[in-house]
Amino acid sequence: MNFIKVCFWNLQNLFDTTLSDLALDFDYTPSNGWDETVRDIKIDNLVKGISSTFSSGPDLIGMCEIENEYLAQEIATKLNRNLNRNDYSVAKYKDSPDIRGIDTCLIYSNSIFEFIESKSYNIDLRYPTRDIFYVKLKVLNNNSNLHVFVNHWPSRRGKDDFTESDETEFARSLVAENCGKLIDDIIKIPKEESHRLPKCLIDCPEYESDFKFNDQDAISDKLDREKIMKLNENLIKKLDDAWNENIILMGDFNDEPYNKSLVKFLNATPNWDLLRDWRTIFQLKRKDWDNTKPDRETYLEEKPYLYNCMWKLIPDGTHYFYKTNSLFLFDQFIVSQGLLKNLKNLKIDLDSIKIHKNCLSLASNLLEENFSDNVNYDNKKKLHSYQKLGPMGFRFSKTKIFDLNKDVKEKKELELILQEALQLNLNKNITKLIKDKLKGLTERLDKIQKDKGYYSNFVQDPNTGFSDHFPIKCIIEIN
């Protein structure tokens, strides 16, 4: 096989059926309608969606909003069965401290990759948030390394539906800065080795008067120039190896490609030309008349650019955002220079970057009669025609902890008692107590109906749908 098929999908609240000690998954328990049957229907639907991204399924699958390893293993097992494969494995799983209990994970083909290591990086906010999940894989075909970061950055929603995105921007910017540091740790040599770097990393005669070819503080002056050059060549080779590493970030970043967290803090750009080899960077900085820094310092301070593959898809999107009634491109692939320019035998095919909507949209799954260009209070159960573009999220019938039938029966009994009380002209205080009780019960039932309304009306049948995000997909060429 000369290529790797990759996809990422936000699975929209894939919880198990038990209430964990950490997770606030109160809605997703058997007492509330989220039982094993419903959970398995959701998993089966997700497996169908993942299987449809490529003819024989993807080889590398990043996922977020999944609660634990058991669910990831269930998906891998069912994918193997559904696609007649036997090579899906779950990268060593790490539970994150996210307060909702939703994690990121990675499924890979063990016939294409050798698993090397995985790490989970927690981000320190005042409240726990999703981790950044890192997996290092080796491509068996050519022994190239592929570094994978699966992301799910903090939500725009904040603590309530009235929170504006700029109020939560700081959290995503903080995660972006942390993620950038993790990238630096791969692309640049370890900081403990930086003291060995010469002041001048490349021999530029015009700078000999300002920067010696080697730093006498770092390399002994007893060595002759030839040996010094050999040491520098080894260092430069090491710099090249690191700078050109194959890295792919995938995830739900909860920001558009042009938002500050991605552009300013992660340094992800749509400009191919900004992804340069380090020699060019230093040479250009030397042309800056105001720059007097030695190469070593420039190297340590440099924030390498990444390439955001998604700009060409704007204004299309992966998530239908109800506040603006438009699609947002939150789910993205971002790559390093090495993977962009085929510097270490792997290359992302930019033409293969796609949002996979086939059979996953509302339009693909609902009848035309369920949509209208004129949605008002009389037909509010219909969806607006524009919403056809959006993904079909999974909906299940919420039963609540209490017995609905018991409450309905009690309401009818109270109505009869109130009717009799009024006919008998009983004490006003008694009738008021009955009325108050009846009012509270009516409001309670109305709330139940409202909560259940979207899930049980004819717009979408209960226990149907996939996710409120579309998956994204791409192909990486093996050279």
Side-chain angles (χ1 to χ4, degrees):
M1 180 178 290
N2 296 318
F3 54 86
I4 302 162
K5 298 170 291 183
V6 184
C7 84
F8 170 83
W9 203 0
N10 179 324
L11 303 183
Q12 187 203 8
N13 297 324
L14 181 56
F15 289 95
D16 63 16
T17 57
T18 58
L19 185 63
S20 69
D21 293 334
L22 174 68
L24 297 181
D25 54 1
F26 300 127
D27 275 349
Y28 294 88
T29 56
S31 60
N32 201 23
W34 183 260
D35 56 23
E36 292 184 1
T37 299
V38 176
R39 179 203 64 195
D40 290 345
I41 291 172
K42 162 110 176 173
I43 291 176
D44 288 341
N45 291 358
L46 292 173
V47 167
K48 290 175 185 176
I50 295 170
S51 300
S52 70
T53 54
F54 295 95
S55 59
S56 57
D59 307 309
L60 192 62
I61 309 161
M63 300 179 292
C64 72
E65 293 208 9
I66 181 170
E67 187 174 14
N68 53 41
E69 184 173 7
Y70 168 77
L71 296 172
Q73 293 288 359
E74 279 291 290
I75 289 175
T77 299
K78 291 189 175 185
L79 279 171
N80 277 327
R81 186 184 308 134
N82 195 55
L83 293 166
N84 196 27
R85 297 175 63 150
N86 62 359
D87 59 332
Y88 283 124
S89 296
V90 177
K92 189 176 180 181
Y93 197 94
K94 307 285 185 179
D95 279 320
S96 82
D98 177 67
I99 196 167
R100 285 179 60 211
I102 51 177
D103 297 338
T104 53
C105 72
L106 189 73
I107 294 175
Y108 66 96
S109 166
N110 55 43
S111 64
I112 296 175
F113 297 104
E114 176 189 347
F115 174 82
I116 305 298
E117 65 172 328
S118 66
K119 295 179 182 178
S120 182
Y121 295 97
N122 297 334
I123 307 301
D124 295 324
L125 301 174
R126 286 193 175 185
Y127 54 88
T129 189
R130 276 89 70 162
D131 61 345
I132 299 172
F133 187 48
Y134 165 71
V135 180
K136 183 178 180 181
L137 301 168
K138 178 182 286 187
V139 179
L140 297 174
N141 189 294
N142 63 3
N143 290 324
S144 294
N145 289 329
L146 180 63
H147 304 270
V148 184
F149 289 89
V150 188
N151 296 261
H152 188 194
W153 289 7
S155 172
R156 290 188 167 205
R157 184 174 295 177
K159 293 183 179 179
D160 54 55
D161 288 344
F162 301 102
T163 305
E164 297 297 328
S165 62
D166 59 353
E167 296 179 53
T168 58
E169 181 183 58
F170 78 93
R172 291 184 296 282
S173 296
L174 177 62
V175 175
E177 190 70 18
N178 276 267
C179 193
K181 180 183 180 301
L182 298 177
I183 302 299
D184 283 3
D185 289 344
I186 295 173
I187 288 182
K188 298 164 78 172
I189 65 171
K191 287 184 172 59
E192 57 268 21
E193 296 184 25
S194 63
H195 70 279
R196 296 176 53 206
L197 291 175
K199 286 182 178 179
C200 184
L201 287 170
I202 49 178
D203 194 7
C204 301
E206 66 271 25
Y207 274 80
E208 285 287 338
S209 60
D210 298 316
F211 301 118
K212 294 181 180 180
F213 179 73
N214 64 81
D215 180 5
Q216 297 299 328
D217 295 332
I219 301 176
S220 171
D221 56 6
K222 295 180 180 179
L223 297 173
D224 59 33
R225 183 178 177 84
E226 184 176 340
K227 290 183 178 179
I228 291 173
M229 288 182 66
K230 183 66 175 175
L231 286 171
N232 284 347
E233 285 173 6
N234 291 337
L235 274 173
I236 287 172
K237 184 178 184 304
K238 193 167 186 177
L239 292 178
D240 284 335
D241 285 343
W243 198 262
N244 298 332
E245 284 286 354
N246 296 310
I247 303 173
I248 182 168
L249 291 80
M250 59 179 77
D252 173 5
F253 295 89
N254 269 307
D255 266 336
E256 297 268 26
Y258 48 77
N259 286 135
K260 186 188 295 185
S261 64
L262 290 159
V263 175
K264 181 177 179 180
F265 291 97
L266 186 62
N267 237 26
T269 177
N271 187 347
W272 172 296
D273 292 332
L274 288 178
L275 279 78
R276 299 166 176 149
D277 65 89
W278 58 267
R279 292 174 181 80
T280 302
I281 292 172
F282 296 150
Q283 287 166 349
L284 289 172
K285 295 224 175 192
R286 285 171 175 176
K287 297 298 182 185
D288 181 357
W289 65 272
D290 198 34
N291 178 42
T292 58
K293 294 178 180 178
D295 287 349
R296 178 200 297 169
E297 189 173 344
T298 298
Y299 178 80
L300 291 173
E301 293 179 354
E302 184 65 21
K303 290 174 60 176
Y305 279 97
L306 301 170
Y307 185 79
N308 193 322
C309 305
M310 311 305 287
W311 278 76
K312 67 173 185 175
L313 300 182
I314 298 171
D316 203 353
T318 56
H319 176 59
Y320 189 86
F321 196 53
Y322 71 97
K323 280 190 176 182
T324 59
N325 290 310
S326 60
L327 286 168
F328 277 17
L329 191 53
F330 287 166
D331 304 274
Q332 300 166 46
F333 290 124
I334 299 169
V335 299
S336 63
Q337 176 185 237
L339 197 56
L340 179 68
K341 299 182 178 181
N342 190 26
L343 300 178
K344 297 189 83 171
N345 302 319
L346 295 177
K347 182 178 184 295
I348 191 164
D349 178 1
L350 295 178
D351 292 332
S352 71
I353 307 289
K354 297 284 191 302
I355 300 171
H356 183 72
K357 300 183 179 182
N358 186 34
C359 300
L360 301 178
S361 68
L362 285 164
S364 301
N365 290 278
L366 297 178
L367 298 174
E368 185 65 31
E369 64 193 43
N370 292 319
F371 300 93
S372 173
D373 289 331
N374 183 27
V375 178
N376 52 45
Y377 285 105
D378 294 330
N379 64 351
K380 62 183 177 181
K381 287 186 177 180
K382 286 183 179 290
L383 297 172
H384 193 279
S385 297
Y386 191 78
Q387 292 177 270
K388 290 180 181 179
L389 302 172
M392 186 178 185
F394 187 83
R395 307 299 182 208
F396 70 99
S397 294
K398 295 185 177 181
T399 57
K400 301 298 180 185
I401 297 173
F402 37 78
D403 187 338
L404 179 62
N405 293 329
K406 180 182 177 181
D407 286 350
V408 171
K409 182 180 178 181
E410 183 179 352
K411 180 186 176 186
K412 289 180 179 179
E413 290 174 350
L414 278 173
E415 287 172 340
L416 289 173
I417 293 172
L418 179 61
Q419 186 178 357
E420 291 178 4
L422 292 172
Q423 288 175 352
L424 295 172
N425 198 23
L426 295 180
N427 184 289
K428 288 183 179 180
N429 289 332
I430 296 176
T431 56
K432 185 179 184 302
L433 287 173
I434 298 172
K435 284 181 180 180
D436 289 345
K437 174 75 171 175
L438 184 59
K439 180 183 177 183
L441 193 56
T442 301
E443 290 176 351
R444 175 187 173 101
L445 287 167
D446 286 345
K447 186 177 186 304
I448 296 171
Q449 190 58 42
K450 181 180 178 181
D451 288 346
K452 290 184 64 181
Y454 183 74
Y455 302 97
S456 60
N457 64 33
F458 66 89
V459 174
Q460 185 173 336
D461 292 332
N463 305 331
T464 62
F466 306 90
S467 167
D468 57 358
H469 287 245
F470 288 122
I472 54 175
K473 62 182 181 179
C474 69
I475 289 174
I476 295 175
E477 299 170 356
I478 302 174
N479 297 302

